[in-house]
Amino acid sequence: MQEQESKSRLRESVKIRHYIMNLIYRHPNEKQRIPGSNELAAMFGVGRATVTRVLRSLTEGGYLEGHRGIGTFTKHQNFIPVRGEMPPLVGLLAGDGKYFYYPYHVWSLMANSGLALTRGGCNVRTLNLTGPDEETLYTEITHQYLDGLVALDIGPQRFELIRRLREEAGLKVILQVTGNIDADAVGADSFSFDFRQAGVEIGRRLLAEGRSKLYFIFLNEVTAYLLEGIRSAFAAAGKTPEVTAFDWGSPGVFSEIAERLRAEAPEALYVHGEHYDTVRDILDECGIDTRKQCRLVAESHAIHSEYHGLRIDIPFEETGFEIGKRIARHFRDPSLAPEHRSIPLSVSPDGL
């Protein structure tokens, strides 16, 4: 209970801070008188003690200054207006905003989106959220005072939240969604990687090599499309692959993988993302030959050593840049209609 109250106070403190920072951002060359402590407490439904802490922190940070008998005012900051106004402010959101660290694929998309946005005349801010449910996330995002939102690594379970942010909060939104989607269901600009077609190509290559016994590490909402494509390629040839799929959420999953690999060597093995090095070590410990005996399939960004297998190339950098360019265009041309882009992936043999 105490922890929940602490999180609630933190969220409200951040809302007050963002409210004041937004005043500064929107009026960079003007002093703005902020509401008094009682008014702010009523606005955000918190006690005066919470307001006092936030105001003290902002004053100590050089964002506010008090004038006895008059009130508290914003201070001029080194913000750079363009033609008298601050550029559009766009938030970069990964998943539900609770990443403790950013893995390569997320950071690559975020960094390159940010580069394209700043080149396109926008300012950016990464979003870290705490909300446990959609309503709280909606409130947290709308209290960021943004003009636009780049939402990365988003699944269909967040489409309703995105709709509300567009229609109710008026944000310009662009998404990078997980897997192959129904573009009409999103209602906003969206990009997705075509894992299914990559799976079809992998399936064809495995068929050409006479390999049908596959270990699939790991199965999730994204890689399910890859596996669907592999099975589709086999079905087109009148065959069915023998697939052993492992779930990342299963307790002791790496011990399970090691036990299975000690008992038998598959003809092919797919390993997802940054799990490659761990699984490769297990293969080496089990004495499995990955040149001829077992065909490896892995994503390029996760391979950091000598590799013999099929490499999946995912254009994170280029896609991130295109995402940033697209939303920047929306601020220059508000009449742009939403569109969906399915980004092809390439599959190539490496070291074979």
Side-chain angles (χ1 to χ4, degrees), residues 276-295:
Y276 170 77
D277 286 334
T278 301
V279 174
R280 180 58 192 264
D281 286 346
I282 295 173
L283 287 164
D284 290 343
E285 289 168 8
C286 294
I288 294 175
D289 174 20
T290 57
R291 287 176 179 262
K292 296 180 179 179
Q293 182 183 18
C294 176
R295 177 66 63 238

Side-chain angles (χ1 to χ4, degrees), residues 253-274:
V253 66
F254 287 113
S255 296
E256 180 188 352
I257 292 168
E259 184 178 346
R260 296 292 293 270
L261 287 173
R262 280 191 289 268
E264 63 173 354
E267 295 170 339
L269 184 148
Y270 163 73
V271 56
H272 179 51
E274 284 76 8

Side-chain angles (χ1 to χ4, degrees), residues 24 48 51 64 83 115 122 130 141 294 337:
I24 298 171
R48 280 192 61 193
V51 175
L64 296 176
R83 301 184 185 92
L115 284 172
C122 300
T130 61
I141 293 170
C294 176

